[in-house]
């Protein structure tokens, strides 16, 4: 979603989604307020489920306002929804670049550490070792 869409107030944030909510369910809950242009449900790929929130973009800002008025505080599949106008900081970088566009993502997925991370881990291990030795000396 671009900054322009957010400023037009056509995009809404829907929080508090139950883990089993899928796009068709969310679409069915939100379509009574007007035509939906897009739905984005960000995934947590580590856990294999969505992150518990979504962004719904309506074709008209009035429809988005109607959805907010009617769905904020409503229940969907046993959970209370929090619905508001989407804010830029809520969107983060979901649509700006692919998560795998940087080496850090691949390294994290493969369990590979950078040199800086390795040095930090070594330093922490050395600190733990020194602390353990100090504790042993005090106990003697």
């Amino acid at each position: 979603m671009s900054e322009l869409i957010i400023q037009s107030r056509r995009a809404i944030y829907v929080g508090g989604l139950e883990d089993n909510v899928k796009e068709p369910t969310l679409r069915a809950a939100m379509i009574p307020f007007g035509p939906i242009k897009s739905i984005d449900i960000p995934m947590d790929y580590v856990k294999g489920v969505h992150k518990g929130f979504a962004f719904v973009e309506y074709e008209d800002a009035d429809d988005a306002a109607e959805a907010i008025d009617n769905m904020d505080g409503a229940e969907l599949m046993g959970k209370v929804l929090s619905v508001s106008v989407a804010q830029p900081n809520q969107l983060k970088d979901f649509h700006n670049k692919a998560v795998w566009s940087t080496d850090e993502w691949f390294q994290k997925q493969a369990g590979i550490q950078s040199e800086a991370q390795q040095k930090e881990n070594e330093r922490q291990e050395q600190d733990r070792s020194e602390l353990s030795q100090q504790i042993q000396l005090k106990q003697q």
Side-chain angles (χ1 to χ4, degrees), residues 71-112:
M71 295 301 288
D72 187 37
E75 275 190 35
L76 180 63
M77 296 181 73
K79 290 194 73 179
V80 177
L81 299 178
S82 172
V83 183
S84 62
V85 174
Q87 302 295 318
N89 62 341
Q90 290 173 318
L91 293 172
K92 295 184 184 175
D93 290 328
F94 292 128
H95 299 284
N96 293 341
K97 62 181 178 179
V99 294
W100 55 85
S101 65
T102 63
D103 287 339
E104 290 107 19
W105 185 85
F106 284 110
Q107 290 172 349
K108 182 178 177 185
Q109 298 306 312
I112 300 170

Side-chain angles (χ1 to χ4, degrees), residues 2 5 8-9 21 24-25 45 49 53 55 59 75-76 122 126 133:
S2 69
I5 293 169
S8 72
R9 305 179 76 75
V21 172
T25 306
Y45 292 103
V49 296
F53 62 91
F55 299 100
E59 291 184 11
E75 275 190 35
L76 180 63
E122 289 171 4
Q126 185 178 4
Q133 290 174 355

Side-chain angles (χ1 to χ4, degrees), residues 8-139:
S8 72
R9 305 179 76 75
R10 292 183 294 141
I12 63 173
Y13 165 84
V14 181
L17 295 177
E18 203 269 335
D19 288 344
N20 293 322
V21 172
K22 304 287 185 237
E23 184 178 337
T25 306
L26 185 58
R27 183 176 295 279
M30 305 307 277
I31 197 77
F33 309 106
I36 295 173
K37 189 171 181 180
S38 67
I39 294 179
D40 182 20
I41 305 175
M43 294 293 295
D44 181 339
Y45 292 103
V46 174
K47 295 180 182 176
V49 296
H50 62 73
K51 294 183 177 184
F53 62 91
F55 299 100
V56 179
E57 180 189 355
Y58 284 91
E59 291 184 11
D60 185 61
D62 291 337
D63 295 338
E66 192 70 24
I68 293 168
D69 290 343
N70 286 282
M71 295 301 288
D72 187 37
E75 275 190 35
L76 180 63
M77 296 181 73
K79 290 194 73 179
V80 177
L81 299 178
S82 172
V83 183
S84 62
V85 174
Q87 302 295 318
N89 62 341
Q90 290 173 318
L91 293 172
K92 295 184 184 175
D93 290 328
F94 292 128
H95 299 284
N96 293 341
K97 62 181 178 179
V99 294
W100 55 85
S101 65
T102 63
D103 287 339
E104 290 107 19
W105 185 85
F106 284 110
Q107 290 172 349
K108 182 178 177 185
Q109 298 306 312
I112 300 170
Q113 295 179 343
S114 69
E115 286 183 41
Q117 289 171 325
Q118 288 175 349
K119 287 180 182 178
E120 178 64 20
N121 288 345
E122 289 171 4
R123 187 191 61 75
Q124 289 177 353
E125 184 60 37
Q126 185 178 4
D127 289 348
R128 279 193 283 275
S129 176
E130 290 173 3
L131 182 61
S132 176
Q133 290 174 355
Q134 289 175 358
I135 291 172
Q136 287 177 354
L137 288 175
K138 286 183 179 179
Q139 289 176 349

